[in-house]
Amino acid sequence: MGESRTLAVRRPASHDGLPPGPNSPALLQTVMLAGRLQPYLDSCRRRYGDCFTLRTLSWGPCVFVSSPELVKAVFAADPNVLRAGEHSADMGLGEVLGPTSLVVQDGEEHRRRRHSVSAAFQGKAVRHSADEIAEIARAEVARWPRDTPVALLEPMQSIALEVILRIVIGVTDETRTRRLRALLPRVASFDRGPMMWSGLRKTPSWQRYLRIQAEARELLTQEIADRRTRTDLAERTDTLSMVLSGGGDLAENDVELVDLLISLLLAGHETSSTGMAWALERLVQHPEAMHRIQAAADLGDPSLEAQLDSLVREALRIRTITPITARKAAAPVRLGPWNLPAGVNVMISAGLVHMSPDNYAAPEEFRPDRFLNDKPDPYAWVPFGGGARRCVGAALALLEMKEVLRTVLAEVDLHRVDDRSERSRLRHVTFMPDRGTRVVVRQR
Ligand code: HEM
């Protein structure tokens, strides 16, 4: 255990007291982070251990941690001191999610918004959606062409969009559903440049994006107004209805509700669809694992549920979706042996944590049964972040991934187009399979 961990402690601090790191110019470090994120982080971990500092032009010093002890220290820290909202706001996320979004808030403002929505996302509350998710997936699979190569990333995006429309927003009006179905994918696919740098916000493409957002926001405002008048509001199980009938602070304020829905769309659409696309990509490259799941389903094997659960968690471990979970220190903070000054960003890269040989045996191997008997360590398995900011939609995302995989594998056989694993490509804010999970679909 722990060659890198020992290195991290033994290596001297850099001259400013921060954990060690490359002394190349900040411009070069920024370019490396932007262009070759994961390989650059991997090489820094090999060189400096599980706690190192990178210096960036845009955000200043960023301290990356990857040992479970330090990850735990970050997630357990006072969320008013290690602030997620402030970091997200620095990234410009308020521009796309809206200034009242819980994602860009900290402290009491964050707590009360999260409180209004978290009950609707608890495991118990989302479980009733399993059949509807399966129905959405079945309708999608029926449209796929058979016996010819097809990329499954886009169909997974359609499924995830439908989940947001029906299970999160709960839209019922046909015309509005059609319009939102066309608009929301465009709202979710924004350009990071103008979001992060205000100087780029005059471009025609950004102005067009803002007009699309405004139209979607108007439709969502109408939906909220209609929903308030529904006599069956209290019985409805979509997230919006549950927030409205829950009576929390958010229920009263349309602007905040629209910011919430846009945030749920942006946080939950591309992430879930990419997770499903990666799980299918891994299965197609490991047909024996896929056939085991199909056989268990055909035989009604009671361990199927546990197998799907382990498979989904292993797919989320081996293929990173959101590259970095970050906090900004609002005051000096102690992290392991280090005293970090205010203003430093503390970063957890799921890729580093999940691929560390200190945390997993044979981390490069896809082992769908890895978590069959051992639940993941919450500080070594971090696809959903952690602590007070842990992904609010995690239970829905896991359910969605399992139900979609279960349905797809019951309906069709998937065959690989070639035996090269797909590479990770950063698009918007997620790492996607570069060929979009290309497979041949055959009817079972
Ligand atoms: C596989 C799918 C998903 C992944 C990998 C994922 C990942 C994450 C991560 C890494 C965070 C940051 C956590 C932190 O800072 O500690 C996050 C936050 C969040 N996620 Fe997810 N997410 C997924 C699906 C969803 C879904 C389906 C929804 C809702 C529909 C959702 C809503 C949110 C929200 C609202 C936050 C902000 C929470 C806060 O700031 O308190 N996510 N997610």
Side-chain angles (χ1 to χ4, degrees), residues 280 283 289-290 293-294 298 308 311 404-414 444:
L280 290 168
L283 279 179
M290 183 160 54
I293 300 260
Q294 286 179 314
D298 293 346
L308 280 171
L311 160 71
V404 170
L405 291 182
R406 192 200 309 270
T407 309
V408 169
L409 298 182
E411 300 283 317
V412 290
D413 282 326
L414 302 177
R444 287 195 83 196

Side-chain angles (χ1 to χ4, degrees), residues 75 84-85 88 101-105 110 114 117 121 163-164 168 239 260 263-276 316 320-327 350 382-398 400-401 430:
F75 287 154
S88 299
S101 164
L102 83 164
V103 176
V104 293
Q105 304 291 331
H110 169 259
R114 183 159 170 133
V117 76
F121 279 112
V163 167
I164 299 278
V168 174
T239 310
L260 172 70
S263 303
L264 294 175
L265 165 74
L266 266 65
H269 172 247
E270 207 162 273
T271 46
S272 300
S273 50
T274 306
M276 295 187 287
L316 288 170
T320 301
I321 297 178
T322 52
I324 285 167
T325 298
R327 309 284 185 259
V382 293
F384 296 111
R389 305 302 291 238
R390 186 173 188 269
C391 173
V392 89
L396 175 62
L398 290 171
E400 183 177 350
M401 288 181 72
T430 53

